[in-house]
Short mmCIF file of all heavy atoms in Angstrom, two decimals:
data_model
loop_
_atom_site.label_atom_id
_atom_site.label_comp_id
_atom_site.label_asym_id
_atom_site.label_seq_id
_atom_site.Cartn_x
_atom_site.Cartn_y
_atom_site.Cartn_z
N ALA A 105 -5.16 4.36 9.04
CA ALA A 105 -6.52 4.46 9.78
C ALA A 105 -7.73 4.33 8.86
O ALA A 105 -8.77 3.83 9.41
CB ALA A 105 -6.44 5.86 10.47
N GLN A 106 -7.65 4.91 7.71
CA GLN A 106 -8.87 4.98 6.90
C GLN A 106 -9.10 3.55 6.35
O GLN A 106 -10.15 2.95 6.37
CB GLN A 106 -8.71 5.86 5.65
CG GLN A 106 -9.88 5.93 4.58
CD GLN A 106 -9.78 5.04 3.52
OE1 GLN A 106 -8.75 4.43 3.21
NE2 GLN A 106 -10.95 4.71 3.02
N GLN A 107 -8.08 2.76 6.04
CA GLN A 107 -8.19 1.36 5.47
C GLN A 107 -8.68 0.49 6.65
O GLN A 107 -9.52 -0.42 6.43
CB GLN A 107 -6.86 0.92 5.00
CG GLN A 107 -6.33 1.45 3.68
CD GLN A 107 -7.20 1.05 2.56
OE1 GLN A 107 -7.81 -0.03 2.41
NE2 GLN A 107 -7.41 2.04 1.67
N GLU A 108 -8.16 0.63 7.76
CA GLU A 108 -8.56 -0.11 8.97
C GLU A 108 -10.02 0.15 9.27
O GLU A 108 -10.78 -0.79 9.56
CB GLU A 108 -7.69 0.29 10.16
CG GLU A 108 -8.09 -0.66 11.31
CD GLU A 108 -6.94 -0.66 12.35
OE1 GLU A 108 -5.72 -0.85 12.01
OE2 GLU A 108 -7.26 -0.61 13.62
N PHE A 109 -10.47 1.44 9.30
CA PHE A 109 -11.81 1.71 9.53
C PHE A 109 -12.78 0.98 8.58
O PHE A 109 -13.89 0.39 8.96
CB PHE A 109 -12.04 3.12 9.55
CG PHE A 109 -13.65 3.56 9.71
CD1 PHE A 109 -14.16 3.53 10.90
CD2 PHE A 109 -14.24 3.78 8.53
CE1 PHE A 109 -15.63 3.82 11.01
CE2 PHE A 109 -15.66 4.13 8.67
CZ PHE A 109 -16.33 4.11 9.78
N MET A 110 -12.53 1.11 7.40
CA MET A 110 -13.35 0.60 6.28
C MET A 110 -13.43 -1.07 6.41
O MET A 110 -14.58 -1.44 6.25
CB MET A 110 -12.81 0.90 4.92
CG MET A 110 -12.88 2.37 4.56
SD MET A 110 -14.42 3.13 4.54
CE MET A 110 -15.09 2.44 3.21
N LEU A 111 -12.38 -1.67 6.67
CA LEU A 111 -12.37 -3.13 6.67
C LEU A 111 -13.07 -3.59 8.04
O LEU A 111 -13.90 -4.49 8.00
CB LEU A 111 -10.91 -3.72 6.66
CG LEU A 111 -11.01 -5.31 6.72
CD1 LEU A 111 -11.66 -5.87 5.62
CD2 LEU A 111 -9.45 -5.72 6.70
N ARG A 112 -12.69 -2.90 9.09
CA ARG A 112 -13.45 -3.19 10.37
C ARG A 112 -14.91 -2.99 10.30
O ARG A 112 -15.74 -3.71 10.73
CB ARG A 112 -12.83 -2.45 11.57
CG ARG A 112 -11.37 -2.93 11.89
CD ARG A 112 -10.76 -2.07 12.89
NE ARG A 112 -11.37 -2.09 14.13
CZ ARG A 112 -11.07 -1.35 15.23
NH1 ARG A 112 -10.19 -0.44 15.13
NH2 ARG A 112 -11.77 -1.46 16.43
N MET A 113 -15.33 -1.88 9.77
CA MET A 113 -16.80 -1.53 9.63
C MET A 113 -17.41 -2.59 8.75
O MET A 113 -18.54 -2.94 8.98
CB MET A 113 -16.92 -0.20 9.04
CG MET A 113 -18.40 0.39 9.02
SD MET A 113 -18.82 0.65 10.74
CE MET A 113 -20.17 -0.43 10.92
N TRP A 114 -16.77 -2.99 7.61
CA TRP A 114 -17.41 -3.99 6.67
C TRP A 114 -17.55 -5.38 7.43
O TRP A 114 -18.65 -5.97 7.34
CB TRP A 114 -16.49 -4.21 5.55
CG TRP A 114 -17.01 -5.17 4.56
CD1 TRP A 114 -18.00 -4.80 3.45
CD2 TRP A 114 -16.84 -6.52 4.48
NE1 TRP A 114 -18.26 -6.14 2.88
CE2 TRP A 114 -17.70 -7.09 3.48
CE3 TRP A 114 -16.21 -7.49 5.29
CZ2 TRP A 114 -17.66 -8.39 3.16
CZ3 TRP A 114 -16.17 -8.71 4.87
CH2 TRP A 114 -16.97 -9.30 3.88
N VAL A 115 -16.58 -5.81 8.13
CA VAL A 115 -16.73 -7.04 8.96
C VAL A 115 -17.80 -6.87 9.96
O VAL A 115 -18.63 -7.92 10.08
CB VAL A 115 -15.29 -7.42 9.61
CG1 VAL A 115 -15.51 -8.63 10.61
CG2 VAL A 115 -14.29 -7.72 8.55
N ILE A 116 -17.91 -5.93 10.63
CA ILE A 116 -19.01 -5.74 11.62
C ILE A 116 -20.28 -5.84 11.00
O ILE A 116 -21.34 -6.49 11.40
CB ILE A 116 -18.74 -4.35 12.50
CG1 ILE A 116 -17.52 -4.62 13.34
CG2 ILE A 116 -19.94 -4.12 13.32
CD1 ILE A 116 -17.01 -3.37 14.04
N GLU A 117 -20.46 -5.04 9.81
CA GLU A 117 -21.68 -5.04 9.12
C GLU A 117 -22.08 -6.24 8.56
O GLU A 117 -23.22 -6.76 8.53
CB GLU A 117 -21.83 -3.92 8.14
CG GLU A 117 -21.86 -2.62 8.66
CD GLU A 117 -21.96 -1.51 7.45
OE1 GLU A 117 -21.45 -1.82 6.31
OE2 GLU A 117 -22.32 -0.45 7.71
N GLN A 118 -21.14 -6.98 7.76
CA GLN A 118 -21.50 -8.10 7.08
C GLN A 118 -21.38 -9.42 7.79
O GLN A 118 -22.22 -10.30 7.56
CB GLN A 118 -20.48 -8.19 5.89
CG GLN A 118 -20.52 -7.02 4.85
CD GLN A 118 -21.95 -6.92 4.30
OE1 GLN A 118 -22.48 -7.98 3.74
NE2 GLN A 118 -22.52 -5.77 4.19
N LEU A 119 -20.47 -9.52 8.76
CA LEU A 119 -20.27 -10.71 9.47
C LEU A 119 -20.75 -10.73 10.97
O LEU A 119 -20.75 -11.67 11.69
CB LEU A 119 -18.84 -11.17 9.56
CG LEU A 119 -18.21 -11.42 8.04
CD1 LEU A 119 -16.79 -11.67 8.20
CD2 LEU A 119 -18.91 -12.40 7.25
N GLY A 120 -21.05 -9.49 11.41
CA GLY A 120 -21.57 -9.33 12.69
C GLY A 120 -20.51 -8.88 13.72
O GLY A 120 -19.27 -9.19 13.49
N PRO A 121 -20.89 -8.15 14.71
CA PRO A 121 -19.88 -7.71 15.76
C PRO A 121 -19.47 -8.91 16.65
O PRO A 121 -20.12 -10.02 16.65
CB PRO A 121 -20.65 -6.66 16.69
CG PRO A 121 -22.09 -7.09 16.33
CD PRO A 121 -22.20 -7.80 15.05
N ASP A 122 -18.31 -8.71 17.31
CA ASP A 122 -17.78 -9.70 18.26
C ASP A 122 -17.21 -8.98 19.35
O ASP A 122 -16.20 -8.27 19.20
CB ASP A 122 -16.72 -10.59 17.49
CG ASP A 122 -16.09 -11.56 18.35
OD1 ASP A 122 -16.38 -11.68 19.48
OD2 ASP A 122 -15.30 -12.31 17.89
N ASP A 123 -17.96 -8.98 20.42
CA ASP A 123 -17.49 -8.27 21.62
C ASP A 123 -16.28 -8.78 22.41
O ASP A 123 -15.60 -8.11 23.10
CB ASP A 123 -18.72 -8.22 22.69
CG ASP A 123 -19.85 -7.40 22.17
OD1 ASP A 123 -19.57 -6.45 21.18
OD2 ASP A 123 -20.93 -7.72 22.68
N THR A 124 -15.84 -10.02 21.84
CA THR A 124 -14.61 -10.59 22.34
C THR A 124 -13.33 -10.15 21.63
O THR A 124 -12.18 -10.35 22.11
CB THR A 124 -14.67 -12.00 22.42
OG1 THR A 124 -14.72 -12.54 21.12
CG2 THR A 124 -15.88 -12.61 23.28
N ASP A 125 -13.50 -9.56 20.59
CA ASP A 125 -12.35 -9.15 19.79
C ASP A 125 -12.49 -7.58 19.39
O ASP A 125 -13.44 -7.21 18.77
CB ASP A 125 -12.38 -9.99 18.46
CG ASP A 125 -11.04 -9.64 17.55
OD1 ASP A 125 -10.56 -8.60 17.66
OD2 ASP A 125 -10.77 -10.60 16.81
N PRO A 126 -11.50 -6.80 19.94
CA PRO A 126 -11.70 -5.33 19.72
C PRO A 126 -11.81 -4.94 18.23
O PRO A 126 -12.32 -3.88 17.92
CB PRO A 126 -10.51 -4.86 20.50
CG PRO A 126 -9.66 -5.92 20.77
CD PRO A 126 -10.28 -7.24 20.57
N ASP A 127 -11.21 -5.73 17.35
CA ASP A 127 -11.15 -5.35 15.92
C ASP A 127 -12.62 -5.50 15.39
O ASP A 127 -12.90 -4.71 14.44
CB ASP A 127 -10.34 -6.23 15.08
CG ASP A 127 -8.78 -5.83 15.35
OD1 ASP A 127 -8.56 -4.73 15.64
OD2 ASP A 127 -7.99 -6.74 15.10
N TRP A 128 -13.50 -6.28 15.97
CA TRP A 128 -14.77 -6.41 15.47
C TRP A 128 -15.82 -5.92 16.34
O TRP A 128 -17.07 -6.22 16.26
CB TRP A 128 -15.13 -7.90 15.10
CG TRP A 128 -13.93 -8.63 14.43
CD1 TRP A 128 -13.45 -9.90 14.66
CD2 TRP A 128 -13.23 -8.00 13.24
NE1 TRP A 128 -12.39 -10.19 13.91
CE2 TRP A 128 -12.28 -8.99 13.02
CE3 TRP A 128 -13.21 -6.94 12.55
CZ2 TRP A 128 -11.26 -9.03 12.00
CZ3 TRP A 128 -12.23 -6.77 11.59
CH2 TRP A 128 -11.27 -7.75 11.25
N ASN A 129 -15.51 -5.07 17.31
CA ASN A 129 -16.45 -4.53 18.37
C ASN A 129 -16.61 -3.17 18.00
O ASN A 129 -15.84 -2.28 17.88
CB ASN A 129 -15.62 -4.56 19.84
CG ASN A 129 -16.45 -4.01 20.84
OD1 ASN A 129 -16.90 -2.87 20.79
ND2 ASN A 129 -16.86 -4.81 21.86
N PRO A 130 -17.96 -2.87 17.66
CA PRO A 130 -18.34 -1.38 17.28
C PRO A 130 -17.98 -0.37 18.28
O PRO A 130 -17.41 0.75 17.77
CB PRO A 130 -19.92 -1.46 17.20
CG PRO A 130 -20.20 -2.96 17.08
CD PRO A 130 -19.07 -3.65 17.79
N GLU A 131 -18.02 -0.51 19.57
CA GLU A 131 -17.55 0.42 20.48
C GLU A 131 -16.04 0.73 20.36
O GLU A 131 -15.64 1.95 20.40
CB GLU A 131 -17.97 0.13 21.93
CG GLU A 131 -19.61 0.16 22.18
CD GLU A 131 -20.19 -1.16 21.67
OE1 GLU A 131 -19.58 -2.12 21.40
OE2 GLU A 131 -21.38 -0.92 21.51
N ALA A 132 -15.35 -0.42 20.32
CA ALA A 132 -13.83 -0.17 20.08
C ALA A 132 -13.47 0.59 18.92
O ALA A 132 -12.63 1.38 18.86
CB ALA A 132 -13.18 -1.59 20.19
N LEU A 133 -14.33 0.23 17.80
CA LEU A 133 -14.03 0.81 16.56
C LEU A 133 -14.38 2.41 16.67
O LEU A 133 -13.54 3.19 16.16
CB LEU A 133 -14.94 0.31 15.41
CG LEU A 133 -14.74 1.02 14.03
CD1 LEU A 133 -13.37 0.97 13.49
CD2 LEU A 133 -15.71 0.25 13.03
#
């Protein structure tokens, strides 16, 4: 869970959110 949170947050911050993919969606995170 910790590793997943860190990587997902990094992608959202650095590459931008993607509402079509739950891994890169801030609300889903």
Side-chain angles (χ1 to χ4, degrees):
Q106 187 268 340
Q107 290 293 326
E108 183 158 319
F109 172 82
M110 296 298 291
L111 182 56
R112 288 173 67 189
M113 191 71 242
W114 182 88
V115 168
I116 291 167
E117 284 182 339
Q118 298 299 312
L119 304 176
D122 180 352
D123 293 338
T124 65
D125 186 330
D127 285 332
W128 317 135
N129 180 298
E131 289 80 19
L133 177 58

